Amino acid sequence: MKIEQIYTGCLAQGAYYIESNGEAAIIDPLREVQPYIDRVAHDGATIKFIFETHFHADFVSGHVTLAEKTGATIVFGPNANPTYKAHIATDGEVFKIGNCTLTVLHTPGHTMESSCYLLQDENGKDHALFSGDTLFLGDVGRPDLAQKAAHMTQEQLAGILFESLRAKVMTLADDVIVYPAHGAGSACGKNLSKETVGSIGEQKATNYALRADMTKEEFVKEVTDGLLPPPAYFPMNVKLNKEGYENVEKIIAAAQALDAVAFEAAANETDALILDVRHQDDFSAGHIPGSIFIGIDGQFAPWVGALIIDYKQPILLVTPVGREQETITRLARVGYDQTIGYLKDGFATWKNAGKEYDTLNAVTAVALETLLPEGVQVFDVRKPGEYSAEHIENVPSTPLDFLNDHLAEFPKDAPFYVHCAGGYRSVIAASILKARGYHNVIDVKGGFAAIRQTAIKTTAFVCPSTVK
């Protein structure tokens, strides 16, 4: 029996490969499926089942394409209602994979179809739980995403999740391995661990939501407290996962390599969003006017989903040379399928053609320290929790996630400064502000990590007027 966790850091997402005696199963695959096909070919195995723990909101799963390419059966837990062919399992149903088995544990609460899969080894011993978004390491799945579909409140769903965890998960032996669908960085929970593999016993001892003496009322309150609004793209991904989608290979093939003239013409004719995914330093040094920066080497897909509201908007890409296909694929992972082209040979093509380009001004944290006594305006675009822990005194919280809600606070006629934790998110914010006419924005290089090395006065408290 083989188990492999295939972890994708950008999405903080874990897919799983299980193989026994020539038969294989994939749990929660990503949209690009060739790596799974290559993996089973390497083992001389055949994919028998594709298990989905629920209709994912934060990424488009590869189940539909993988089933089309391999003939494997898609399996969902009870209450699932996809529009394509799939096996809807019953609670407790057992699936045989070679010499081992997977048992469906219906665990509603995160969503009503949410299910875990309990793996038993060749000797019939409980070995591992593939817990989906029901149980994370350090947290449990947020109960507010499926309210509309379930016709319930988040409190009602949290109550159902409490019962699922107590009846189906906490009764398992302490040595059962836990393989969750997500780790730290995912918006599907609020307190996820950086670890990606744990055990039932560890979670009983350390997970706040699994305390043995916890009442349902306490669980509901603690699980629902402090939930931030989900990213706007979540409902669209659920829809794609329920109804199907186009093969990502066709989306890649449709994107054209464009020279500077053709790229500019396409931008003008289609009103496409120009998305620059190079490193933030490269974007700051020179970029196409009006383009938006979201770097491919950061939390790329989640920030795309949070900040590009219209997922049907045509997209033109400026990428590092050689990473065009990767970028298109990673956009498609979160349902952004409208990439119509990319700048051939990267930004150098634009610059060498003599086209106009813009730059982003920046200062060091040391320089900012000398400017603060002059009363300059500074904005902190980190998440509310980061801001609450420590921030520059008298600097407001304007989280990148909710930048649109704060536009009126940024001055258009005077310089102002933005910072995040390390410099990635502040350049995203600055690019959006510049594209909307705020040309006096200045980035603080190195972010709060650099600020903390100066004598700039910081403080720590929660300000209700700015924390969402």
Side-chain angles (χ1 to χ4, degrees):
M1 180 177 70
K2 296 179 183 177
I3 304 172
E4 290 186 17
Q5 181 184 68
I6 305 168
Y7 198 79
T8 303
C10 177
L11 292 169
Q13 188 268 345
Y16 296 92
Y17 168 79
I18 305 165
E19 188 275 331
S20 174
N21 198 28
E23 293 183 339
I26 308 293
I27 299 177
D28 293 339
L30 287 182
R31 189 170 179 179
E32 66 276 18
V33 301
Q34 193 59 44
Y36 309 113
I37 295 172
D38 294 343
R39 184 68 187 82
V40 294
H42 179 270
D43 283 348
T46 301
I47 299 176
K48 187 176 183 181
F49 297 111
I50 305 158
F51 293 96
E52 289 288 301
T53 55
H54 63 297
F55 292 122
H56 304 281
D58 60 312
F59 72 99
V60 180
S61 181
H63 55 307
V64 174
T65 301
L66 190 56
E68 290 173 351
K69 284 180 170 287
T70 65
T73 300
I74 300 171
V75 178
F76 280 95
N79 298 332
N81 56 344
T83 60
Y84 44 81
K85 183 179 179 181
H87 179 86
I88 309 305
T90 57
D91 187 26
E93 188 170 350
V94 178
F95 295 84
K96 188 171 179 59
I97 303 159
N99 297 324
C100 59
T101 61
L102 277 175
T103 301
V104 178
L105 303 182
H106 186 212
T107 52
H110 174 64
T111 67
M112 290 308 291
E113 78 281 356
S114 284
S115 297
C116 301
Y117 297 101
L118 178 62
L119 176 67
Q120 292 182 314
D121 63 20
E122 296 87 342
N123 300 314
K125 182 181 185 301
D126 291 351
H127 179 77
L129 182 73
F130 300 90
S131 58
D133 284 21
T134 295
L135 174 65
F136 300 125
L137 304 186
D139 204 355
V140 294
R142 57 190 294 172
D144 60 319
L145 301 182
Q147 296 177 80
K148 185 176 180 180
H151 305 291
M152 296 180 186
T153 66
Q154 65 178 16
E155 288 76 18
Q156 289 172 319
L157 284 163
I160 293 171
L161 180 58
F162 175 86
E163 299 293 349
S164 294
L165 290 164
R166 264 66 187 168
K168 301 288 182 64
V169 174
M170 293 177 68
T171 54
L172 298 173
D174 286 354
D175 63 351
V176 171
I177 300 168
V178 175
Y179 290 114
H182 294 291
S186 170
C188 294
K190 61 182 181 179
N191 190 45
L192 282 69
S193 170
K194 293 180 180 179
E195 301 299 321
T196 63
V197 180
S199 71
I200 292 293
E202 290 169 356
Q203 291 309 297
K204 287 179 183 177
T206 62
N207 191 319
Y208 78 97
L210 300 191
R211 297 197 307 272
D213 60 349
M214 197 178 207
T215 66
K216 181 186 287 190
E217 290 73 21
E218 290 172 333
F219 177 91
V220 169
K221 183 178 185 304
E222 293 187 34
V223 167
T224 58
D225 183 52
L227 287 174
L228 295 173
Y233 76 102
F234 273 24
M236 174 265 292
N237 277 4
V238 172
K239 178 179 173 67
L240 289 172
N241 283 319
K242 290 180 71 172
E243 299 178 4
Y245 46 80
E246 190 172 23
N247 187 329
V248 71
E249 294 170 2
K250 295 180 180 179
I251 296 168
I252 293 171
Q256 299 181 23
L258 304 170
D259 62 22
V261 173
F263 189 94
E264 186 174 39
N268 292 333
E269 292 168 6
T270 65
D271 197 28
L273 171 72
I274 300 175
L275 180 62
D276 193 323
V277 307
R278 298 172 297 149
H279 190 274
Q280 57 263 33
D281 291 346
D282 295 326
F283 179 87
S284 297
H287 57 268
I288 297 173
S291 59
I292 300 299
F293 164 78
I294 304 178
I296 191 72
D297 290 323
Q299 289 287 316
F300 176 67
W303 282 120
V304 166
L307 298 171
I308 302 177
I309 303 303
D310 183 5
Y311 66 92
K312 294 183 178 180
Q313 182 177 13
I315 294 175
L316 287 166
L317 294 173
V318 181
T319 77
V321 176
R323 301 185 71 179
E324 299 86 0
Q325 180 173 319
E326 175 193 353
T327 305
I328 298 167
T329 300
R330 289 172 66 175
L331 285 168
R333 284 177 182 170
V334 286
Y336 290 78
D337 295 351
Q338 305 304 314
T339 300
I340 60 175
Y342 53 87
L343 193 57
K344 184 179 180 181
D345 296 327
F347 184 70
T349 294
W350 184 267
K351 196 172 180 180
N352 292 339
K355 296 292 186 182
E356 178 187 0
Y357 66 92
D358 203 354
T359 59
L360 174 62
N361 291 328
V363 298
T364 64
V366 172
L368 180 66
E369 182 182 0
T370 66
L371 293 168
L372 284 176
E374 300 176 13
V376 297
Q377 289 185 269
V378 182
F379 297 88
D380 186 333
V381 301
R382 296 175 301 158
K383 291 185 178 293
E386 296 172 278
Y387 176 85
S388 299
E390 187 178 10
H391 59 269
I392 300 174
E393 193 171 58
N394 300 320
V395 165
S397 172
T398 51
L400 177 58
D401 312 56
F402 312 110
L403 199 66
N404 288 337
D405 298 338
H406 297 279
L407 291 180
E409 300 170 29
F410 298 103
K412 280 197 171 183
D413 56 356
F416 64 94
Y417 301 79
V418 294
H419 80 82
C420 61
Y424 176 80
R425 286 173 289 174
S426 59
V427 176
I428 296 176
S431 73
I432 293 172
L433 290 167
K434 282 179 70 69
R436 295 183 178 179
Y438 295 83
H439 295 293
N440 295 312
V441 60
I442 301 169
D443 179 45
V444 180
K445 292 182 69 67
F448 199 72
I451 289 168
R452 293 187 80 248
Q453 303 304 312
T454 69
I456 294 174
K457 189 173 182 180
T458 63
T459 187
F461 67 96
V462 177
C463 179
S465 64
T466 58
V467 176
K468 290 184 175 245

